[in-house]
Amino acid sequence: MELIKIENNKNHGLVISSRVVAEELGRRHDHVMRDLENILTSPDLGALIIQSEYKAGNGQMRKEFLLTKDGFILYMFNIQGNNDFKLAYINKFNEMERTLQETKRVPQTFREALLLAAEQQERIEEQEQKILEMKPKEEFYDEIIDSKDTIDIGTVAKVINKGIGRNKLFKILRDRKVLQNNNQPYQEYIDRGYFRCVESRFTKPNGTTSINIKTVVFQKGLDYINKLVCEV
């Protein structure tokens, strides 16, 4: 996961947009907004989950929320989801907070400069070690994610390795209104670049020609399905 989507807002400090949360969790933004509005019914949370706006692609201003680290943690405690995603972003918040603090910490002597450099190097090495520890179990999955090709649903079930087979995965995607009853994706998810429908023609023994349509998954779709299954 490439953690580059936490911003340093000039008015509110380190925040993450509700749109980013929706994208990373594979959820609709309006559903995330609804959850946040329900949380805000509790008093004194306006400084943690901040109402804001953004300019949409059509130039219109639309509503979003900006979540501070505490607001993000509060939201994550209120939903089920991928714990790796939660921890990764909380760690990123902490890392960026430390970096901001260190930019304000100007060494006054050569000794202080050496100590500060040593502390920073130690943190870098700790992060690199964590990455190395996570790499073996993620290696095959990342290889698929980086692929330029598509894979079928059966292969997706094997790659995400959640103990479900091809037919069960089809049912989950139909229940979540990602796939239609014929196992073809709704247009929304094709437009997102998650799926593609491949059409093939074949001739039957009686000489008639039939068309078979197969749903295949791009790397973005694989990542989305993996997050979706974690919520089930």
Side-chain angles (χ1 to χ4, degrees):
M1 180 180 295
E2 186 180 0
L3 302 176
I4 59 172
K5 297 179 180 178
I6 297 174
E7 61 176 290
N8 186 12
N9 185 282
K10 64 179 181 180
N11 296 319
H12 307 295
L14 297 177
V15 293
I16 181 172
S17 164
S18 54
R19 290 179 291 139
V20 172
V21 173
E23 177 186 352
E24 295 288 357
L25 288 176
R27 305 186 69 192
R28 288 175 45 173
H29 185 227
D30 59 330
H31 289 177
V32 173
M33 293 283 289
R34 179 197 60 202
D35 294 340
L36 291 170
E37 286 168 351
N38 289 336
I39 294 173
L40 283 173
T41 57
S42 300
D44 303 323
L45 295 179
L48 307 182
I49 301 172
I50 305 149
Q51 294 190 32
S52 184
E53 290 184 323
Y54 71 98
K55 183 178 288 187
N58 59 8
Q60 295 181 345
M61 299 304 295
R62 294 185 179 174
K63 185 178 176 181
E64 68 173 346
F65 283 107
L66 301 178
L67 285 72
T68 65
K69 182 179 75 171
D70 290 341
F72 176 82
I73 294 172
L74 181 63
Y75 172 68
M76 287 302 163
F77 275 122
N78 278 270
I79 66 166
Q80 293 181 346
N82 188 325
N83 287 330
D84 289 340
F85 162 74
K86 298 176 186 179
L87 291 173
Y89 265 86
I90 291 170
N91 288 338
K92 186 62 176 179
F93 267 113
N94 292 332
E95 177 188 333
M96 293 181 69
E97 284 178 344
R98 287 194 299 266
T99 300
L100 288 175
Q101 291 171 358
E102 286 167 0
T103 57
K104 299 175 182 178
R105 177 183 164 191
V106 179
Q108 300 299 313
T109 66
F110 180 66
R111 181 176 180 276
E112 289 180 0
L114 289 176
L115 289 173
L116 180 58
E119 290 174 7
Q120 292 173 336
Q121 182 61 33
E122 183 178 356
R123 276 194 286 272
I124 291 172
E125 290 175 357
E126 288 175 356
Q127 291 296 322
E128 288 176 346
Q129 182 60 36
K130 289 178 182 178
I131 291 172
L132 288 174
E133 290 172 356
M134 293 178 63
K135 188 172 181 179
K137 67 177 181 179
E138 300 291 343
E139 185 174 344
F140 178 61
Y141 177 71
D142 289 342
E143 182 180 338
I144 295 294
I145 287 293
D146 291 336
S147 170
K148 304 302 180 184
D149 299 324
T150 57
I151 57 177
D152 60 27
I153 295 294
T155 305
V156 171
K158 294 177 184 177
V159 170
I160 63 177
N161 194 25
K162 295 295 189 297
I164 58 176
R166 171 181 175 274
N167 293 338
K168 179 67 180 296
L169 184 54
F170 267 130
K171 184 179 186 305
I172 291 172
L173 295 175
R174 289 195 301 268
D175 291 344
R176 298 299 293 268
K177 302 301 181 184
V178 176
L179 299 183
Q180 305 173 60
N181 289 335
N182 60 2
N183 289 334
Q184 294 178 27
Y186 285 95
Q187 188 62 43
E188 172 189 355
Y189 296 97
I190 294 176
D191 293 341
R192 289 187 188 182
Y194 294 168
F195 300 93
R196 176 185 176 192
C197 289
V198 179
E199 179 179 295
S200 61
R201 298 174 183 269
F202 63 95
T203 303
K204 294 182 178 180
N206 62 8
T208 59
T209 300
S210 294
I211 297 175
N212 179 52
I213 298 178
K214 180 179 181 180
T215 297
V216 293
V217 185
F218 288 102
Q219 55 266 31
K220 287 173 61 178
L222 175 61
D223 194 25
Y224 172 75
I225 292 172
N226 184 55
K227 294 171 183 174
L228 195 68
V229 170
C230 288
E231 297 179 4
V232 175

